[in-house]
Amino acid sequence: MYNVRKIVDDLYWVGGSDHRLELFENIHPISDGVSYNAYVLLDEKTVLFDTVDWSICRQFLENLEHVLNGRDLDYVIINHMEPDHAASMEEVLLRYPNAKVISTEKSIMMMYQFGFNVEGRTETVAEGDSRCFGKHTIAFVDAQMVHWPEAMVSYDTSNGVLFSADAFGSFKALDGKLFADEVNFDRDWIDEARRYLTNIVGKYGPEVMHLLKKAGTLDIKVICPLHGPVWRKPEDIQYILGKYIKWATYEPEEKGVLIVYASMYGNTESAAQVLATKLVEKGMTNVRVYDVSKTHVSYLVSEAFKYSHIVFASVTYNLQIYPVMKEFLEHLAMLNLQNRICGIIENGSWAPQSGSLIREFLDDEMKQMSIINSELSIISSLQEKDQRDMDLFVDSLLDTMNEE
Ligand code: FEO
């Protein structure tokens, strides 16, 4: 059965949600599902904006057919060629043999790379180009590396609708609620929006900012992303823009302490909990504690983008950083996280050195990660004699908060 929604006059959502997929990009858990959005413009010409992942192709084709209501499809605009959006493109072209594909040069090159038969059916566009389809003129804006090099966004100059590709997207299935104003976004969606952006596009903060600057010159009334809800209220658009600026510039959203620990037998965990308690007792209640071994790294990355302070508490393992903690650090570096205040707690029963190795990693592999002076080195377990060092550690962390 078709399942579509009207966005504004002449424009319809024809995407769908998927609750079956376990791992987005076969790496990030999506226990609340994900949506793949596609849109149809009914003008003198009919225009489809992007397609969907193969998993929901059947639903999407039914939606497309219903919205076209007997009309032929004239154009498919591909803003982003990644298969979670473009996988169903070839099926659309088979069903609508007169449809032409409009996209960037790199994107068309990728269509051939992915084995799509688009010979004689493509029109290349670049930044500054536009196409008129009747009442609606669509302008194309380069969005390189948001999130692949071929990406662009499209802007309807007649009504201010921005087709923003991966930008402003989110994990989570829509479950009927297409618009951001139909959900409590700040309560129910923001964590998944941050986890999506930081893990998928986090590395490309400067490119996201470049796109946001260009978007700032447009009179945007509605944002139609390829995942997650559509944004149509000015205050909601300002809200998500504000979040994007923070994430893209690696500025923390909140003053608070993220404590991530790696513990084999519960002793480093105990130290992490003691630290949390002391912070709270001294008034810093915005503290989150995670076991690195039990929490998927995508959640930890998202939290690291959120908080101003990060404490890495790690046991020493084979004279190295505990492997899962090392992996977390590598993800942070890969995603370009920077500008955080860090504390380090190490543990080891005969040769603790995870602390110096973490320090080395933060100094050499990451940018603007300042480490507080106090370091806590635990031999096997936190003892009464370590209380003074722990208190100094807490005070050092809190001092940096008061300085800000
Ligand atoms: Fe949702 Fe970069 O694809």
Side-chain angles (χ1 to χ4, degrees):
M1 176 65 182
Y2 62 82
N3 185 7
V4 304
R5 286 197 67 181
K6 182 177 174 179
I7 310 273
V8 289
D9 285 348
D10 307 332
L11 185 67
Y12 295 84
W13 174 80
V14 292
S17 288
D18 181 6
H19 276 287
R20 289 189 176 199
L21 189 71
E22 284 285 330
L23 297 173
F24 187 80
E25 293 184 348
N26 213 13
I27 183 169
H28 308 293
I30 41 169
S31 54
D32 290 332
V34 67
S35 73
Y36 306 102
N37 300 331
Y39 306 91
V40 172
L41 177 70
L42 299 178
D43 202 341
E44 287 170 26
K45 299 290 182 188
T46 57
V47 185
L48 170 66
F49 292 84
D50 292 290
T51 71
V52 296
D53 188 77
W54 191 247
S55 61
I56 62 156
C57 183
R58 194 165 146 237
Q59 176 71 64
F60 157 72
L61 290 170
E62 224 174 323
N63 293 348
L64 177 61
E65 189 181 349
H66 172 73
V67 167
L68 288 173
N69 193 22
R71 292 183 67 183
D72 198 8
L73 179 66
D74 298 308
Y75 290 99
V76 183
I77 292 177
I78 296 291
N79 286 304
H80 187 19
M81 243 316 280
E82 192 166 2
D84 57 331
H85 309 294
S88 304
M89 195 183 102
E90 202 174 27
E91 186 62 29
V92 169
L93 296 182
L94 284 171
R95 287 173 184 239
Y96 300 94
N98 300 315
K100 284 264 192 314
V101 178
I102 297 176
S103 200
T104 63
E105 189 180 350
K106 275 199 186 104
S107 174
I108 291 167
M109 185 185 80
M110 284 185 179
M111 290 170 199
Y112 288 105
Q113 286 174 197
F114 280 105
F116 292 176
N117 182 9
V118 291
E119 196 61 45
R121 300 185 65 175
T122 58
E123 290 181 17
T124 305
V125 290
E127 170 125 345
D129 289 346
S130 59
R131 290 280 190 282
C132 180
F133 298 108
K135 284 187 289 176
H136 299 264
T137 296
I138 305 293
F140 304 101
V141 179
D142 183 288
Q144 271 190 56
M145 300 321 297
V146 185
H147 130 241
W148 278 17
E150 90 305 349
M152 66 174 185
V153 300
S154 306
Y155 175 69
D156 188 331
T157 58
S158 61
N159 59 8
V161 174
L162 178 72
F163 300 90
S164 64
D166 270 349
F168 307 108
S170 178
F171 291 144
K172 269 171 93 84
L174 290 168
D175 300 341
K177 292 153 283 189
L178 179 61
F179 298 98
D181 51 274
E182 293 173 333
V183 300
N184 186 333
F185 197 90
D186 200 50
R187 187 190 65 196
D188 300 334
W189 279 76
I190 188 65
D191 288 339
E192 285 297 85
R194 183 191 310 103
R195 192 164 68 88
Y196 166 81
L197 187 275
T198 56
N199 284 279
I200 307 298
V201 198
K203 179 178 171 59
Y204 304 112
E207 287 82 0
V208 172
M209 280 310 292
H210 187 59
L211 177 62
L212 293 183
K213 277 187 189 133
K214 286 195 275 189
T217 63
L218 305 172
D219 183 17
I220 296 170
K221 298 281 199 303
V222 179
I223 298 176
C224 293
L226 288 177
H227 303 284
V230 168
W231 302 83
R232 63 180 174 184
K233 291 203 164 169
E235 62 272 26
D236 291 343
I237 290 175
Q238 283 314 308
Y239 164 87
I240 195 66
L241 265 172
K243 293 289 184 190
Y244 260 68
I245 289 168
K246 293 243 180 223
W247 299 332
T249 56
Y250 308 103
E251 239 192 81
E253 274 169 79
E254 291 181 12
K255 196 177 272 195
V257 184
L258 168 67
I259 304 171
V260 179
Y261 67 82
S263 185
M264 292 166 67
Y265 299 108
N267 293 297
T268 313
E269 177 183 13
S270 170
Q273 289 292 347
V274 169
L275 169 64
T277 299
K278 285 181 182 287
L279 285 166
V280 172
E281 275 181 343
K282 293 206 167 184
M284 170 37 70
T285 55
N286 198 12
V287 175
R288 293 300 305 263
V289 181
Y290 289 94
D291 181 343
V292 76
S293 298
K294 281 178 60 182
T295 316
H296 189 272
V297 69
S298 64
Y299 292 91
L300 299 176
V301 163
S302 179
E303 292 289 74
F305 271 73
K306 179 176 177 182
Y307 291 107
S308 57
H309 290 60
I310 308 172
V311 174
F312 302 91
S314 180
V315 67
T316 305
Y317 195 85
N318 286 330
L319 298 181
Q320 299 291 323
I321 303 168
Y322 192 70
V324 195
M325 179 64 85
K326 182 75 189 294
E327 189 194 343
F328 171 45
L329 285 160
E330 281 168 351
H331 274 260
L332 294 182
M334 179 177 71
L335 293 166
N336 211 9
L337 181 77
Q338 47 196 276
N339 190 27
R340 292 296 182 276
I341 296 170
C342 303
I344 300 169
I345 299 175
E346 68 175 0
N347 193 355
S349 290
W350 62 93
Q353 53 183 315
S354 51
S356 54
L357 293 170
I358 290 172
R359 172 182 282 275
E360 207 174 286
F361 189 94
L362 294 174
D363 283 344
D364 297 349
E365 307 294 331
M366 298 182 70
K367 295 176 207 149
Q368 297 178 65
M369 301 296 270
S370 36
I371 303 167
I372 60 167
N373 289 329
S374 301
E375 275 182 33
L376 192 53
S377 187
I378 300 168
I379 306 296
S380 298
S381 67
L382 194 69
Q383 306 279 327
E384 195 59 40
K385 67 177 170 47
D386 300 316
Q387 287 281 17
R388 192 177 158 273
D389 284 350
M390 176 60 94
D391 287 334
L392 287 173
F393 188 88
V394 169
D395 288 342
S396 289
L397 268 179
L398 293 175
D399 284 349
T400 60
M401 291 196 173
N402 298 334
E403 282 164 13
E404 286 176 355

